[in-house]
Amino acid sequence: MMGGVFLEVVVGVRPYVLLSVAMSVDGFIDDASGAPLALSNEADFDRVDEVRAGCDAILVGAGTVRADDPRLLVRSDARRAERVRRGLGATPLKVTLTRNGDLDPAARFFTLGDVEKLVYAASPSVERARASLAGVATVVDAGDPLDLTAVLTDLAARGVRRLMVEGGGEIHTLFLSAGLADELHLVIAPFFVGDPAAPRFTGTGPFPHGPDNRMHLAETRQIGDVVLLRYLPKPVHENGAKRASAGAPGQGETDRRWLEYAIELSRRCPTSTTAFAVGAVVVDGEGTVLATGHSRESDPLDHAEEAALAKIPADDPRLATATLYTSLEPCTTRASRPRGCTELTLAAGIPRVVFAWREPSLFADCTGAETLSAAGVEVVEVSDLAAEARQVNAHLFPG
Ligand SMILES: NC(=O)c1ccc[n+]([C@@H]2O[C@H](COP(=O)([O-])OP(=O)(O)OC[C@H]3O[C@@H](n4cnc5c(N)ncnc54)[C@H](OP(=O)(O)O)[C@@H]3O)[C@@H](O)[C@H]2O)c1
Ligand SMILES: [Zn+2]
């Protein structure tokens, strides 16, 4: 295998789209009573709050704005303060989609939160929406019919890198059937609704993930009496956005998806002022996740790559086809443990490393990319994701 460091050039980036939903065991996301139905428990609401705090914008359909009158704010004071400290608004932007423009300016979506509210309206309803929402929201003409890819591109242009989509059913169907969700958080509540008049998670649609195209189940997590399933739908089609020019066709897109997942994992690290927050995932040649890891995962000294590699038996033959995706360049020298992640990667026999962010000389000098490359490992640097990987560590770079 050729060594070398390649740069990927990416055009027309859209936000990372994380779709979040809670449903009953029989697949309903509400009952038919008209009053909101609590599917999650307190601990899960808190998890959702944390996910929200890590996003730049939250999107719901106009149907949810009307049915639930949700606040869509980060609830925790500590998380709001942390966002402000990172130079962000206390709570993410709010976004909704509408076909007919029938939205009430007195809804909490518009009245609460000192953030911009964006309404993407299908062209014929733009005037109507602008008239009723003047002063409370920015109404954007999203085409006729509404062009979801254009909406995402516009959000990216407004600085939205991570978008959380919180329903309802029609909106989930729209994103999932278009193959525009990068990650799906599905929470199952331990009860039945059993009413055909109640809304379901999704309706009818040309979902790309049928029986022949299964999604990747990345995680299951019990949270009290509910369970969280995290799926990574595979990229379905190139939509002009996020297209990488380097490498084999499709490889760039696959690399980005896993690297974004690694960055996602880095958000789980316990906060530290003396070490980076890093996420890592090891994927074999068939696309199977061998292990994930993040900094300080089970010990304050853990590095992400180290934590992931420790979970894979040294004689696992899949290591020979594996790629290590890590949000930060693997370290070479470290004060805390004898072997750096570069050495551990070489010892594991992993032939390929993809990373986002070059290690800045903050805690140690690092020559991970060069060392791996010199040892014959294919090293790919996806530098346009570096800002996102660094953002998770913004508190280490005050001012
Ligand atoms: N359990 C959960 O996690 C969860 C989360 C959120 C919501 N919910 C539930 O979901 C239900 C609401 O779901 P829903 O399906 O009725 O509403 P929805 O998905 O929130 O919104 C549907 C509306 O979005 C707009 N829209 C959808 N597709 C569009 C397109 N292609 N172009 C332009 N606009 C488009 C339309 O707005 P206009 O009608 O204005 O044209 C449409 O009526 C409620 O019962 C709520 O409680 C549950
Ligand atoms: Zn390390």
Side-chain angles (χ1 to χ4, degrees):
M1 180 168 309
M2 284 268 296
V5 179
F6 302 99
L7 287 189
E8 283 188 316
V9 182
V10 172
V11 291
V13 172
R14 64 168 173 81
Y16 186 86
V17 176
L18 189 159
L19 208 139
S20 174
V21 63
M23 68 180 203
S24 61
V25 283
D26 52 347
F28 292 99
I29 57 169
D30 195 3
D31 59 21
S33 70
L37 172 70
L39 287 143
S40 290
N41 53 37
E42 259 317 304
D44 188 54
F45 283 131
D46 189 58
R47 177 197 61 83
V48 171
D49 196 57
E50 186 173 15
V51 176
R52 275 186 187 167
C55 290
D56 302 305
I58 303 171
L59 184 152
V60 296
T64 295
V65 174
R66 289 190 291 263
D68 293 356
D69 194 15
R71 295 180 172 82
L72 303 178
L73 302 172
V74 171
R75 295 193 305 182
S76 148
D77 289 341
R79 290 183 190 123
R80 296 165 63 87
E82 171 63 17
R83 283 181 57 95
V84 171
R85 213 164 55 78
R86 284 165 46 191
L88 305 171
T91 194
L93 303 187
K94 300 193 207 178
V95 184
T96 190
L97 306 185
T98 179
R99 212 176 271 119
N100 66 28
D102 179 17
L103 284 157
D104 180 357
R108 292 193 281 211
F109 179 95
F110 299 110
T111 58
L112 297 185
D114 186 17
V115 287
E116 184 166 17
K117 288 91 183 179
L118 291 168
V119 176
Y120 288 93
S123 304
S125 68
V126 166
E127 249 176 69
R128 175 176 186 206
R130 284 201 179 131
S132 71
L133 301 173
V136 300
T138 302
V139 178
V140 181
D141 187 335
D144 185 22
L146 174 141
D147 178 343
L148 191 56
T149 302
V151 168
L152 293 175
T153 306
D154 187 74
L155 285 170
R158 291 170 191 269
V160 175
R161 303 181 64 93
R162 274 170 71 73
L163 173 69
M164 183 172 182
V165 177
E166 293 203 48
E170 193 176 344
I171 290 302
H172 282 145
T173 305
L174 184 68
F175 274 84
L176 287 166
S177 60
L180 286 172
D182 296 295
E183 185 169 339
L184 170 58
H185 292 188
L186 185 67
V187 164
I188 313 237
F191 61 80
F192 295 80
V193 170
D195 180 348
R200 283 193 173 274
F201 168 33
T202 49
T204 310
F207 297 104
H209 299 289
D212 297 332
N213 186 23
R214 296 156 78 103
M215 294 187 293
H216 176 72
L217 177 61
E219 186 193 352
T220 62
R221 201 190 309 169
Q222 181 173 354
I223 303 167
D225 66 350
V226 305
V227 63
L228 165 68
L229 307 174
R230 280 166 65 114
Y231 290 100
L232 297 178
K234 295 174 195 125
V236 187
H237 55 79
E238 297 280 351
N239 52 28
K242 295 179 80 178
R243 192 190 300 276
S245 65
Q251 186 63 55
E253 179 67 18
T254 305
D255 282 348
R256 286 186 69 82
R257 189 167 63 85
W258 287 118
L259 200 51
E260 282 174 339
Y261 182 55
I263 295 171
E264 201 43 45
L265 292 167
S266 74
R267 298 177 204 279
R268 295 197 204 161
C269 304
T271 307
S272 163
T273 52
T274 55
F276 293 113
V278 182
V281 54
V282 183
V283 184
D284 77 0
E286 311 246 279
T288 303
V289 174
L290 303 186
T292 63
H294 60 267
S295 311
R296 302 175 285 290
E297 183 171 323
S298 52
D299 179 285
L301 297 179
D302 281 346
H303 281 198
E305 308 93 304
E306 178 184 40
L309 291 170
K311 294 171 193 162
I312 310 171
D315 60 355
D316 189 325
R318 297 173 296 179
L319 282 165
T321 66
T323 298
L324 166 69
Y325 295 92
T326 173
S327 60
L328 178 70
E329 177 183 7
C331 65
T332 34
T333 37
R334 55 184 293 197
S336 52
R337 291 210 175 132
R339 298 172 92 193
C341 294
T342 294
E343 197 184 329
L344 294 171
T345 303
L346 291 172
I350 290 180
R352 195 162 182 271
V353 172
V354 178
F355 73 93
W357 185 29
R358 283 255 169 187
E359 180 165 349
S361 308
L362 191 61
F363 304 122
D365 285 332
C366 178
T367 57
E370 286 73 15
T371 306
L372 288 163
S373 187
V377 172
E378 182 187 355
V379 179
V380 179
E381 177 178 0
V382 185
S383 54
D384 74 289
L385 288 177
E388 198 172 334
R390 185 186 188 278
Q391 178 60 46
V392 182
N393 290 278
H395 61 285
L396 298 174
F397 305 92

